[in-house]
């Protein structure tokens, strides 16, 4: 196992761990859909990382192309999680941009699984072993691009536009603390998505000799998202603590008033002028000789 393998295993494990943490939060608070969409994104990214690790050790061009074919499935699930996170939790971005980008990417799965190789390549010639610094190895292929590549890239550009649009909207009103959070998350997603897309394009066009991967870029995105969600959880816990303190103080005050009223033998009553309803304390009913449960209105008073 070389240092590339170690790094990929650590990143994939980090994704699974973060996903498990936010899944538990969502299980206790089902209404918090942001944690569920985060979990979907994290688990899908971990699955993509496992496939990328297998790509580095592929034994043939056919195996490499087949792994790339299956890599598109967790990538689609991951971007679905990201778009849902931005729409449901942050309520940002133009929906049609996000959903059109997802729709096109989902559509590319058809030629991806029906073609001989995958949606990226129409023909794969050979597999080469590449050695980099520290004695680490990874595999790359010499291949011809598929006619479906422009459609795949268009879906990527639409998704980038969706996250940039959400970032720009938040930037215009960045004085709002909530929009500042939207800006940090959406800007980081847009930045690392652009990095991942152009990284992959450079590899496919054989401009650079690098491993096929999205794991490093989107692990950084997950860390930003987890940090922001963790801040929300912390703030919610602090609010709950403050509310509990206030409620305890209020209960003690009410108890003191109730003790004082009982000691003085007072009866309390309240008249709701809007609804015309009257309320009496048990002592007031006793003083007026009114049985418990007997309707009491202004006329009876």
């Amino acid at each position: 196992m070389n240092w590339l393998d170690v790094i990929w295993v650590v990143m994939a494990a980090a994704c699974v761990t973060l996903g498990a943490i936010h899944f538990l939060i969502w299980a206790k608070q089902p209404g918090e859909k942001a944690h569920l969409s985060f979990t979907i994104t994290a688990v899908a990214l971990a699955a993509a990382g496992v496939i990328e690790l297998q790509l580095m050790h592929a034994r043939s061009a056919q195996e490499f192309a087949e792994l790339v074919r299956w890599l598109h499935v967790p990538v689609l699930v991951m971007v679905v999680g990201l778009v849902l996170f931005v729409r449901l939790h942050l309520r940002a971005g133009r929906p049609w941009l996000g959903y059109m980008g997802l729709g096109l990417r989902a559509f590319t799965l058809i030629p991806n699984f029906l073609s001989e190789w995958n949606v990226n390549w129409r023909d794969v010639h050979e597999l080469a072993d590449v050695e980099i610094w520290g004695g680490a190895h990874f595999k790359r292929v010499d291949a011809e691009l598929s006619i479906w590549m422009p459609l795949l890239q268009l879906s990527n550009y639409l998704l980038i536009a969706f996250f940039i649009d959400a970032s720009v909207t938040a930037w215009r009103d960045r004085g709002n603390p909530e929009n500042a959070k939207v800006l940090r998350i959406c800007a980081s997603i847009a930045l690392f998505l652009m990095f991942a897309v152009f990284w992959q394009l450079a590899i496919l066009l054989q401009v650079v000799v690098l491993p096929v991967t999205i794991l490093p870029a989107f692990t950084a995105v997950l860390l930003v998202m987890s940090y922001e969600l963790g801040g929300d959880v912390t703030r919610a816990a602090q609010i709950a603590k403050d509310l509990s303190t206030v409620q305890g103080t209020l209960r003690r005050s009410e108890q003191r008033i109730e003790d004082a009223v009982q000691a003085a033998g007072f009866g309390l009553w309240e008249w709701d002028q809007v609804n015309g309803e009257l309320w009496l304390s048990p002592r007031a009913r006793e003083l007026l000789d009114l049985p418990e449960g007997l309707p009491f209105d202004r006329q009876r008073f």
Side-chain angles (χ1 to χ4, degrees):
M1 178 178 287
N2 58 52
W3 63 267
L4 270 180
D5 297 334
V6 174
I7 290 176
W8 252 249
V9 169
V10 169
M11 287 191 293
C15 293
V16 172
T17 302
L18 289 172
I21 292 171
H22 288 278
F23 177 78
L24 291 175
I25 295 174
W26 171 77
K28 291 184 177 180
Q29 301 175 347
E32 297 293 332
K33 295 183 175 60
H35 295 282
L36 178 60
S37 57
F38 180 95
T39 300
I40 293 171
T41 303
V43 173
L45 183 57
V50 171
I51 295 177
E52 290 174 357
L53 191 58
Q54 293 176 308
L55 281 170
M56 296 180 191
H57 300 281
R59 290 164 294 185
S60 66
Q62 289 78 9
E63 181 183 353
F64 191 95
E66 189 66 19
L67 287 168
V68 171
R69 188 199 304 273
W70 284 101
L71 180 61
H72 285 285
V73 175
V75 169
L76 173 61
V77 176
M78 183 192 71
V79 293
V80 167
L82 288 173
V83 171
L84 288 178
F85 182 89
V86 172
R87 286 299 308 151
L88 298 179
H89 179 57
L90 304 180
R91 304 190 185 283
R94 300 176 195 270
W96 69 269
L97 277 173
Y99 297 144
M100 185 174 290
L102 291 179
L104 282 177
R105 178 161 278 278
F107 177 78
T108 59
L109 288 182
I110 297 175
N112 183 58
F113 283 100
L114 293 182
S115 61
E116 181 180 0
W117 298 96
N118 54 51
V119 72
N120 300 91
W121 302 307
R122 65 180 180 182
D123 190 18
V124 178
H125 303 306
E126 61 178 344
L127 182 72
D129 185 75
V130 179
E131 182 177 355
I132 58 175
W133 177 81
H137 291 257
F138 66 88
K139 300 296 172 57
R140 60 169 296 227
V141 292
D142 179 20
E144 296 178 20
L145 295 182
S146 165
I147 59 172
W148 296 102
M149 271 300 295
L151 189 61
L152 184 62
Q153 291 304 311
L154 177 59
S155 71
N156 291 332
Y157 299 148
L158 285 170
L159 290 169
I160 290 173
F162 169 74
F163 294 116
I164 290 178
D165 175 65
S167 303
V168 170
T169 303
W171 173 262
R172 290 172 180 165
D173 190 19
R174 57 189 179 279
N176 185 335
E178 193 66 23
N179 282 344
K181 179 179 72 173
V182 174
L183 177 60
R184 287 191 295 269
I185 293 177
C186 293
S188 65
I189 295 175
L191 177 64
F192 287 108
L193 179 57
M194 284 190 289
F195 176 78
V197 167
F198 291 114
W199 174 298
Q200 299 304 322
L201 190 58
I203 293 171
L204 293 173
L205 295 175
Q206 300 183 3
V207 176
V208 295
V209 180
L210 294 168
V212 175
T213 178
I214 63 168
L215 184 60
F218 284 98
T219 299
V221 170
L222 278 187
L223 291 175
V224 174
M225 292 167 63
S226 183
Y227 173 79
E228 296 295 343
L229 282 177
D232 290 345
V233 172
T234 302
R235 285 190 291 273
Q238 185 60 46
I239 291 171
K241 181 179 178 181
D242 295 342
L243 181 59
S244 177
T245 302
V246 171
Q247 288 176 334
T249 303
L250 181 60
R251 280 195 298 269
R252 287 192 295 271
S253 298
E254 290 175 344
Q255 186 63 48
R256 292 192 196 99
I257 294 173
E258 184 177 346
D259 292 343
V261 168
Q262 288 181 354
F266 291 159
L268 303 179
W269 64 277
E270 180 181 301
W271 175 25
D272 186 341
Q273 297 186 38
V274 176
N275 298 321
E277 297 176 353
L278 287 124
W279 166 86
L280 286 88
S281 68
R283 177 56 179 162
R285 284 183 173 273
E286 183 181 342
L287 292 172
L288 296 175
D289 196 23
L290 289 170
E292 187 69 31
L294 182 68
F296 190 72
D297 54 20
R298 185 180 179 188
Q299 184 63 33
R300 187 180 295 276
F301 179 73

